[in-house]
Amino acid sequence: MKAIILSFSLLGAASLLAQTASPPPVTSATLDESEVRITYGELKRLVAATLPKETPPAPKPAPPVPAALLSSMCLLDAKAGVITASLEVESFAEGWQPIPLAGACSGAASVEPKTARLIIHEEHLCLIMDKPGVQSVKLTFPLNVEGQGTTLFLAPSPVAMLAVKDLPEGKVLRVQRDATVQTLAAAGSLALPAGGGEVSLRIEDAKTAQAQPLGATDDAIISTATYTTQVVRDGSVLTEGAITVRHDHPVKLTLQLPEAAKLLQCHVNGEPVRPAPGTAGRVEIPLDDPATDGAESEVRLSFTAATTPLQAAEGELELALPQTPLFARQIDWNVQLPATYDLAFSGNVDAITDKTSAAAPGLHLRKSLSRDQQPQARIIYRKRTSN
């Protein structure tokens, strides 16, 4: 009997233990009353995740140019026979940057510091830098003997100056930039063109030199210039020109070609020449010392460009000629499109209405008595209708 009672007791205890070990069903009410225990670090991370994200600072805008020549100070020492250029450059961006210092035609005799990395890049003598920062460089160029002259090919620089030490007794320094001639008879300084380009320096005898007084004077003028521009249906443009320059001394004919134009050929008095390259379509054509004062040099050149293809019915296009700082008496311009179009124009040029021009095809335009102006024309074309 005791064994039977013990069995029932064990079964009851087992049943009670089974009921106690079974977890209660999970409901929303039981979850709301539940407790969660976490570390403070985990709580801090959870709270931080609920906070609004901070807006990252806007990146700095990129510099307008990756690197630049900041200043160019040239010192001419006639006694030592050298020209020393003290240059300051700055790179604004990471990575290798070439910084033009002078034209490649100006081979430097020495450079300081010796660690400066100089290369020839795009027809310029360049300093290369691989990190942002400012660096000072000093270049030395030989000064040619009296009478021969020295030519410097300057890189663009917002601050540019030529300082001259004492000149030999009875000598003057002749400085020529394009058609501008300046003369120094003693120590002094001159501003150099910020846009760079070619500058000729010549030491001459004061008694015999045909030097101009200090200041800007015309050493040459353009007597006549004749251009012919042809435009074909796909928008290709070819311009050929003949320019007659009257000058008393060796000069540089500076031309600023129209935007995106490419020089094809250039001849001076029938001989091919290679103009000194400039920036943004600027070319400098050397004209030798004429046999007599007031002689003329003939420059022939051609260049290409491109415009939008011609429309079948009608349309407009913009054309332009080279710009030069020289005074030009007369510039004649013949513009030719396919013969199937009637042409009209507007711009800073006038129409030529003489009988000889009227008989030739195309538009006949002229710009007279101009200086440092670019002849421009908006050409309006319309398909010719048959009568």
Side-chain angles (χ1 to χ4, degrees):
M1 184 67 176
K2 289 180 180 181
I4 294 173
I5 294 173
L6 179 60
S7 298
F8 277 110
S9 298
L10 292 174
L11 289 174
S15 175
L16 180 60
L17 290 174
Q19 292 177 4
T20 303
S22 299
V26 178
T27 65
S28 59
T30 59
L31 286 176
D32 291 341
E33 296 175 357
S34 300
E35 294 183 359
V36 178
R37 295 183 180 181
I38 59 175
T39 64
Y40 174 75
E42 184 64 24
L43 175 62
K44 185 177 180 180
R45 286 191 291 271
L46 290 174
V47 172
T50 63
L51 297 177
K53 300 291 184 181
E54 293 185 3
T55 303
K60 293 183 178 180
V65 292
L69 174 61
L70 303 181
S71 66
S72 177
M73 310 300 290
C74 299
L75 175 64
L76 187 149
D77 189 339
K79 185 176 181 180
V82 296
I83 302 171
T84 304
S86 298
L87 311 167
E88 187 174 83
V89 301
E90 183 172 1
S91 176
F92 309 107
E94 293 285 352
W96 290 105
Q97 307 294 340
I99 308 169
L101 304 180
C105 299
S106 305
S110 64
V111 58
E112 295 179 14
K114 300 288 187 183
T115 55
R117 299 165 175 172
L118 297 183
I119 64 170
I120 302 298
H121 178 68
E122 294 184 353
E123 301 189 18
H124 279 85
L125 181 66
C126 297
L127 174 74
I128 57 172
M129 299 174 62
D130 61 346
K131 295 180 180 179
V134 178
Q135 184 172 345
S136 296
V137 181
K138 186 177 291 186
L139 301 178
T140 301
F141 302 96
L143 181 65
N144 290 337
V145 297
E146 181 182 339
Q148 291 186 0
T150 303
T151 300
L152 295 179
F153 299 88
L154 306 176
S157 173
V159 178
M161 184 71 67
L162 171 67
V164 182
K165 279 191 172 183
D166 292 336
L167 291 168
E169 186 177 353
K171 305 297 182 182
V172 297
L173 175 67
R174 178 188 178 92
V175 182
Q176 181 170 336
R177 299 167 291 166
D178 299 329
T180 300
V181 178
Q182 294 179 288
T183 302
L184 283 179
S189 60
L190 296 172
L192 296 174
E198 195 171 307
V199 175
S200 297
L201 310 172
R202 186 188 299 269
I203 297 177
E204 300 179 349
D205 191 278
K207 294 181 180 179
T208 59
Q210 298 180 358
Q212 303 288 343
L214 185 63
T217 59
D218 282 356
D219 214 28
I221 63 171
I222 294 177
S223 301
T224 60
T226 303
Y227 291 92
T228 298
T229 297
Q230 294 179 301
V231 185
V232 296
R233 295 188 186 280
D234 67 356
S236 299
V237 181
L238 171 65
T239 299
E240 298 175 298
I243 307 168
T244 302
V245 182
R246 184 185 184 277
H247 57 108
D248 298 331
H249 308 285
V251 296
K252 303 291 182 181
L253 172 60
T254 301
L255 298 175
Q256 180 69 47
L257 297 180
E259 185 177 358
K262 301 294 184 182
L263 187 66
L264 283 180
Q265 290 184 328
C266 182
H267 291 77
V268 176
N269 296 327
E271 297 295 329
V273 298
R274 184 178 182 182
T279 58
R282 186 171 181 263
V283 296
E284 296 174 341
I285 305 170
L287 305 181
D288 294 336
D289 196 355
T292 59
D293 289 349
E296 293 181 334
S297 296
E298 184 186 52
V299 178
R300 290 187 173 272
L301 56 86
S302 59
F303 59 89
T304 60
T307 185
T308 56
L310 301 181
Q311 301 298 313
E314 60 182 26
E316 297 182 358
L317 55 91
E318 301 280 351
L319 297 176
L321 293 180
Q323 182 175 348
T324 176
L326 293 183
F327 176 80
R329 293 184 182 277
Q330 180 175 299
I331 301 174
D332 287 351
W333 188 11
N334 177 221
V335 178
Q336 299 179 4
L337 272 69
T340 55
Y341 294 108
D342 289 321
L343 306 179
F345 79 97
S346 63
N348 62 356
V349 290
D350 300 315
I352 304 176
T353 57
D354 58 74
K355 294 182 179 180
T356 303
S357 300
L363 282 173
H364 297 271
L365 311 174
R366 175 172 293 168
K367 188 163 187 62
S368 302
L369 305 180
S370 64
R371 181 196 296 274
D372 208 14
Q373 296 181 3
Q374 184 180 46
Q376 298 176 324
R378 177 187 295 272
I379 308 300
I380 302 100
Y381 60 91
R382 181 172 298 170
K383 185 176 179 60
R384 182 172 298 166
T385 57
S386 57
N387 295 329

